[in-house]
Amino acid sequence: MSVRIGAVPAPLPADLLEKLGRVSFPTLGHYLEEGFADPGIVRLAGAGRVVGRAVTVRTTATDSTMLHHAAGLVESGDVIVVDTGGDVRHAPLGQVVATALALRGAAGAIVDGAATDIEEIAPLGLPVHGRGLSMLTTKLHDIDAGALNVPIVCGGVVVAPGDVVLADANGVLFASVDVLEAVIDIALADDAEEPDLIQDLRDGGRLGDLTGATATVEGFLA
């Protein structure tokens, strides 16, 4: 076994962050198909929306040494993303790690596994997403394994250090800067049009007529 430490990723572009702060995350689901964590990863603590740079961590099933190391290195606005190697029984993130992250200014934490101390984490305001809760925790076994800032897997998605992490009550999306820059403007335009569509529905319009779906179906039948 061996430890792997990658380079600290570049900061996210400020203009992209500003736009991501305004877009509805599910609108991005109209234009993207990949990068969405499977629905088993849900919000366990915190509220609101998470937008930040991925700091990736891989732990072993029972040892959280690498996560403790990483928690002291995160920068303001970072989101720590933890690959537990498939283990969903041992919780690597609890009150101590969450407090360290919150004090460093982390924007959130995404764990492909369990968390613990959820009642103690809640007052911190740190958004935490994971697969559930457990009283069984990892330990500091000082095992020569694990990784920081290397590609990992979380929620069935390959996550690279420096990827953008978007998370809210609907789920989690991991995407590269390039992917999001290619769709963000059209997604914002889509959001801007939605209030008019909702009003048209309230005024008695039929959804298929308003979106063109009905004309498409009628074309199939013609």
Side-chain angles (χ1 to χ4, degrees):
M1 294 184 288
S2 63
V3 167
R4 295 178 59 202
I5 306 290
V8 176
L12 299 178
D15 59 338
L16 178 61
L17 287 173
E18 188 277 329
K19 292 178 180 180
L20 291 172
R22 292 188 284 121
V23 76
S24 170
F25 295 163
T27 301
L28 296 170
H30 296 327
Y31 301 101
L32 301 175
E33 190 63 33
E34 298 180 344
F36 298 91
D38 76 60
I41 295 184
V42 299
R43 188 164 67 189
L44 303 173
R49 293 150 44 94
V50 174
V51 180
R53 177 182 70 169
V55 172
T56 59
V57 179
R58 188 172 66 245
T59 64
T60 68
T62 62
D63 181 43
S64 55
T65 300
M66 185 58 70
L67 180 56
H68 281 221
H69 173 64
L73 301 177
V74 298
E75 299 177 9
S76 179
D78 284 342
V79 180
I80 202 154
V81 185
V82 184
D83 176 352
T84 65
D87 180 75
V88 296
R89 298 182 66 239
H90 297 82
L93 188 144
Q95 180 182 11
V96 172
V97 172
T99 299
L101 294 174
L103 291 174
R104 297 284 299 180
I110 316 293
V111 181
D112 197 356
T116 194
D117 297 330
I118 203 65
E119 293 181 342
E120 290 78 12
I121 291 175
L124 299 173
L126 180 76
V128 175
H129 287 68
R131 293 191 179 276
L133 303 174
S134 176
M135 290 189 292
L136 176 62
T137 69
T138 55
K139 286 80 174 171
L140 290 177
H141 289 312
D142 301 330
I143 296 174
D144 180 18
L148 170 64
N149 282 328
V150 302
I152 62 169
V153 176
C154 184
V157 178
V158 175
V159 185
D163 277 352
V164 182
V165 183
L166 305 177
D168 64 9
N170 299 292
V172 181
L173 169 62
F174 306 106
S176 69
V177 168
D178 290 346
V179 165
L180 290 174
E181 286 183 334
V183 300
I184 186 61
D185 289 332
I186 189 171
L188 285 170
D190 197 351
D191 281 348
E193 295 172 356
E194 191 166 285
D196 290 337
L197 176 60
I198 296 297
Q199 187 57 52
D200 288 341
L201 290 170
R202 294 186 186 279
D203 292 339
R206 296 190 301 180
L207 182 60
D209 292 336
L210 296 170
T211 63
T214 295
T216 298
V217 173
E218 290 173 346
F220 294 152
L221 300 175

